[in-house]
Amino acid sequence: MKSYRLSPAGRRVALVLLVSALIIWAFALWVFQTTLGISYNPVAFWGSLRASIEAGLSISQIVPALLMLVLIVATPLVIWNLLEEWAATYTPTDNGLRFESLGVALTYPWDGITRLRRSSDDADEPTDELVLRGDYTGQIRNPLMRFLHGQAYGRQRLPIYAGLAERDELLAEIRRRSGLEEQPLPTLETPALERG
């Protein structure tokens, strides 16, 4: 059975995005700390936060602090998504499409794939996603991994990354085995209405 992984170019792109996300996260942590004047020392954190709130926060502190808090929470999820993309492996098997990455191992049965949809035609390298008949994330035993995988892709979708080596061959194999050969690739965008 042949497995499909990110190409060297796809890995470089994922690495650049990962480094960028880490820089953004570090920046958000720094700005949050300096804006509120708090300490990240575990012993002093709550005391310094309480002192900062009791001293009174101005709008010029609250707005950037809230924005940085959103980045502090959201960026690790983006980092997880990039790491999962980095390690992703697709393997067509007799039972279905096998997806493995960072402790996540799922088999999507061929009859559970309802559509192969183009996510973006405008990108240099178009991305596609499988639309699934059901939620197959129950195969992931670890609840944290199940949550992280679900938040990255949704529970009834699986992306086929643009940076995969021999991606067209994988897409053709998916179409053939799942019976989607005859269907054109619909996109996420709705077509404009034609005027008569």
Side-chain angles (χ1 to χ4, degrees), residues 99-116:
F99 174 81
E100 295 175 301
S101 181
L102 299 179
V104 171
L106 295 163
T107 300
Y108 299 100
W110 296 117
D111 62 355
I113 299 171
T114 61
R115 279 193 326 213
L116 179 60

Side-chain angles (χ1 to χ4, degrees), residues 23-41 44-46 48-50 52-53 57-58 60-73 75:
I23 291 169
I24 290 169
W25 193 55
F27 175 76
L29 286 168
W30 175 72
V31 170
F32 186 75
Q33 179 185 23
T34 57
T35 301
L36 296 180
I38 59 173
S39 170
Y40 284 138
N41 181 332
F45 177 75
W46 292 111
S48 65
L49 181 60
R50 187 178 305 117
S52 180
I53 292 171
L57 297 173
S58 68
S60 64
Q61 289 174 298
I62 293 171
V63 171
L66 288 177
L67 179 60
M68 293 305 114
L69 183 61
V70 168
L71 286 174
I72 289 168
V73 172
T75 305

Side-chain angles (χ1 to χ4, degrees), residues 8-21:
R11 285 182 174 267
R12 282 192 296 274
V13 169
L15 184 60
V16 167
L17 292 173
L18 181 61
V19 170
S20 301

Side-chain angles (χ1 to χ4, degrees), residues 114-121 126-131 175 180 182-191:
T114 61
R115 279 193 326 213
L116 179 60
R117 179 170 63 189
R118 176 80 21 105
S119 298
S120 171
D121 280 327
T127 58
D128 299 298
E129 66 179 15
L130 297 179
V131 179
R175 281 191 204 98
L180 302 175
E182 309 283 322
Q183 298 179 9
L185 278 180
T187 61
L188 287 175
E189 296 89 23
T190 55

